[in-house]
Amino acid sequence: AGGSAPLLALTVALRMLNCFLVQTSFVPDEYWQSLEVAHRMLLNINNYGYLTWEWTNGLRGYSYPLIFASIYKALQLLAKDDVQLLIWVPRLAQAVLAAFADVKLYSLVRHLENAETAKYVYFCQLCSWFTWYSCTRTLTNTMETLLTIFALSYYPIKGSKMGSSCKYLALIALAIVTRPTAVIPWIPLLFSHFLLEQRKADLILHNCLPVGLVTVGTSLIIDRVFFGEWVLVQLNFLKYNVLQNLGTFYGSHPWHWYFTQGLPVILGTHLPFFIHGCVLAPKRYRVFLMAVIWTVLVYSMLSHKEFRFIYPVLPFCMVFCGYSLKHLKAWKKSAASFLLLSNLLPALYTGLIHQRGSLDVMSHIQQLCNNSYQSQAFVFFMMPCHSTPFYSHVHCPLKMRFLQCPPDLTGNESYIDEADVFYSDPLGWLNKEFYNDTLLPSHLIIFSVLEQEISSFLALRGYEKTATVFHTHLPQGRVGSHIYIYRKITEMNN
């Protein structure tokens, strides 16, 4: 961990490997709030692309998907818009950014402490199974976390000579444009900076206001171009997700979930080192700990909870973990070996095995694009909605459909989405929906748990199983251990 250029080259190589060793799906937002939107921005053709309810109601901004749309456009201009490149190039771009963030975190600690402490923080960052699992994904939470690390490297913490109010505020503003919740971890840090700043008026007038106006203005213009009207997405995001608490539609958890499950799971075996580091670390790092506690408290107040929401506090935690490791003296090597080995297994399992069927099944559907009957093919995903990616992983105007699940925005208490209606009586729904054989899809994609319930429909309408794709060892509810592809035989024979 000497010069920054060799370290960066090593880290880029590691994150590239990281990228290729993550072949599973995490959450639908990985595709539906980034790649699907970017694909539609590139090819705004009728029936070729899909925007979820968040986009039709202006809850999301186009600034983040624009990065991927630009990558897609470059590939198209180079006549290299092959579906595999469309899938992997955005992820590799994310991996390179993650590598830069890792090195920035190392540089920050080396600057504030010394090369040895920085080395252990860097080691903890690379060891983290959850960072490995998430940092190369095209999630807004990933970009929010990377921008948080970049901003942190310019934050004017006591003893820092790299501090730059303008740079760190600009990076926070970019993170907020990417995902409005990015402001949450920064509230204690911004408050602390404001209290310690002697030239408060200068900070607001010469830094906060210009940075805020430029970033919000740019974001407004980008959204105006793609929405076709003026939309302040940050306001809509707050209105629907916080004031109307629409997140509960996607599930709710007890208030303590982040303390009892969320943070312990994403920290994994780093947890005892984090606690030890919090006790040891100098006073000036208390503001980092405040950011972690504050973020977890704020998210605990919202009923819908997910691991990825608190991902942006993980880099703060790694500073404490590295500090702990550095001060272990005799146990240093044993502790480092323990961290590496205990994170390796969950990183490889979640990256290569758990929930891989969602992506593997798309390679079967891609093959339909190369066949002569592409125009007659009709793929229906009879799965919980957004279980798989869509056109960004097919890249041809194949007729496709999935079960819809938008929340009700009108206040109708008896509202039930299409997916719930289907799962309440799958056989009845199918017979009603496809009352005429000419309406039948050529391919049905289902989770294994549904097969028995609709077996009579499949047999009667002439479907045969053509592929079985492994998905998970931990099936739950509507999600089965395998994904089955059924093809309508009569259709193919004709």
Side-chain angles (χ1 to χ4, degrees), residues 105-281:
L105 190 63
Y106 167 82
S107 302
L108 169 72
V109 181
R110 189 180 66 174
H111 178 75
L112 289 173
E113 293 292 328
N114 50 55
E116 197 188 358
T117 309
K119 182 176 70 177
Y120 285 110
V121 170
Y122 173 79
F123 174 78
C124 288
Q125 172 75 353
L126 289 186
C127 269
S128 166
W129 80 269
F130 193 79
T131 300
W132 178 275
Y133 181 60
S134 309
C135 75
T136 64
R137 296 184 185 274
T138 50
L139 273 167
T140 50
N141 309 86
T142 298
M143 187 57 89
E144 178 190 358
T145 306
L146 301 183
L147 288 170
T148 293
I149 296 174
F150 290 130
L152 202 56
S153 68
Y154 296 111
Y155 179 74
I157 190 170
K158 190 181 174 186
S160 170
K161 294 186 184 74
M162 289 162 60
S164 165
S165 298
C166 194
K167 284 181 184 174
Y168 100 85
L169 289 168
L171 287 158
I172 296 169
L174 278 176
I176 294 165
V177 163
T178 302
R179 189 174 175 85
T181 52
V183 73
I184 296 168
W186 282 99
I187 289 170
L189 289 112
L190 289 165
F191 188 64
S192 170
H193 179 199
F194 184 74
L195 285 179
L196 296 170
E197 181 61 57
Q198 290 172 339
R199 294 171 298 179
K200 291 179 171 55
D202 279 3
L203 178 66
I204 292 167
L205 294 172
H206 297 153
N207 292 302
C208 295
L209 280 177
V211 161
L213 289 170
V214 169
T215 44
V216 172
T218 307
S219 150
L220 264 175
I221 292 162
I222 291 168
D223 291 334
R224 172 72 181 84
V225 171
F226 292 102
F227 279 115
E229 58 182 338
W230 293 106
V231 178
L232 188 58
V233 291
Q234 289 79 12
L235 195 65
N236 289 339
F237 189 92
L238 182 77
K239 178 184 155 189
Y240 288 112
N241 284 321
V242 180
L243 304 179
Q244 291 189 22
N245 203 12
L246 272 182
T248 51
F249 184 79
Y250 298 105
S252 56
H253 300 80
W255 69 268
H256 56 76
W257 188 84
Y258 283 119
F259 290 99
T260 55
Q261 289 178 59
L263 199 59
V265 167
I266 71 165
L267 273 170
T269 51
H270 283 75
L271 184 60
F273 298 96
F274 169 64
I275 295 165
H276 181 232
C278 290
V279 175
L280 283 184

Side-chain angles (χ1 to χ4, degrees), residues 10-85:
L10 169 73
T11 317
V12 168
L14 273 168
R15 287 303 180 204
M16 292 273 196
L17 176 68
N18 183 169
C19 181
F20 288 118
L21 290 177
V22 174
Q23 298 173 22
T24 54
S25 64
F26 182 10
V27 286
D29 278 16
E30 190 176 345
Y31 320 105
W32 292 90
Q33 307 300 352
S34 55
L35 300 184
E36 294 305 326
V37 184
H39 194 266
R40 190 184 163 97
M41 288 161 80
L42 175 73
L43 299 162
N44 195 9
I45 307 163
N46 290 338
N47 304 319
Y48 193 11
Y50 184 89
L51 293 178
T52 59
W53 68 274
E54 291 102 326
W55 296 89
T56 51
N57 289 281
L59 266 86
R60 303 276 183 168
Y62 280 95
S63 303
Y64 181 56
L66 186 59
I67 299 167
F68 304 117
S70 306
I71 291 171
Y72 287 167
K73 190 67 188 172
L75 289 169
Q76 189 188 51
L77 292 171
L78 294 166
K80 296 286 182 191
D81 57 336
D82 168 76
V83 66
Q84 290 305 320
L85 287 176

Side-chain angles (χ1 to χ4, degrees), residues 210-429:
V211 161
L213 289 170
V214 169
T215 44
V216 172
T218 307
S219 150
L220 264 175
I221 292 162
I222 291 168
D223 291 334
R224 172 72 181 84
V225 171
F226 292 102
F227 279 115
E229 58 182 338
W230 293 106
V231 178
L232 188 58
V233 291
Q234 289 79 12
L235 195 65
N236 289 339
F237 189 92
L238 182 77
K239 178 184 155 189
Y240 288 112
N241 284 321
V242 180
L243 304 179
Q244 291 189 22
N245 203 12
L246 272 182
T248 51
F249 184 79
Y250 298 105
S252 56
H253 300 80
W255 69 268
H256 56 76
W257 188 84
Y258 283 119
F259 290 99
T260 55
Q261 289 178 59
L263 199 59
V265 167
I266 71 165
L267 273 170
T269 51
H270 283 75
L271 184 60
F273 298 96
F274 169 64
I275 295 165
H276 181 232
C278 290
V279 175
L280 283 184
K283 233 184 227 182
R284 60 179 168 165
Y285 294 125
R286 278 185 193 163
V287 71
F288 291 176
L289 183 58
M290 277 300 300
V292 175
I293 295 166
W294 163 259
T295 304
V296 175
L297 282 172
V298 170
Y299 277 118
S300 295
M301 287 187 246
L302 299 173
S303 48
H304 178 60
K305 298 173 175 68
E306 292 187 40
F307 293 112
R308 64 190 173 105
F309 292 169
I310 56 166
Y311 176 31
V313 302
L314 212 48
F316 293 98
C317 298
M318 291 306 128
V319 173
F320 294 104
C321 294
Y323 205 86
S324 162
L325 212 54
K326 193 248 178 189
H327 287 84
L328 280 179
K329 295 184 174 70
W331 295 94
K332 213 174 283 186
K333 276 190 179 174
S334 307
S337 303
F338 165 73
L339 264 183
L340 183 63
L341 293 170
S342 60
N343 278 273
L344 194 62
L345 202 63
L348 291 175
Y349 180 77
T350 55
L352 291 170
I353 299 166
H354 180 60
Q355 293 184 173
R356 68 168 298 135
S358 297
L359 298 183
D360 288 348
V361 78
M362 297 312 288
S363 58
H364 291 269
I365 295 159
Q366 287 158 17
Q367 289 164 20
L368 297 176
C369 295
N370 307 324
N371 294 335
S372 54
Y373 59 83
Q374 181 201 311
S375 55
Q376 282 87 46
F378 171 20
V379 181
F380 185 18
F381 296 88
M382 291 199 303
M383 310 160 93
C385 70
H386 308 131
S387 287
T388 65
F390 215 45
Y391 283 107
S392 67
H393 282 54
V394 177
H395 195 51
C396 78
L398 198 63
K399 187 182 178 187
M400 299 198 293
R401 179 185 169 185
F402 64 92
L403 296 165
Q404 306 281 324
C405 62
D408 173 59
L409 304 177
T410 62
N412 176 9
E413 288 183 15
S414 59
Y415 169 79
I416 306 171
D417 66 56
E418 185 183 44
D420 282 341
V421 172
F422 168 79
Y423 279 105
S424 63
D425 179 17
L427 204 54
W429 189 93

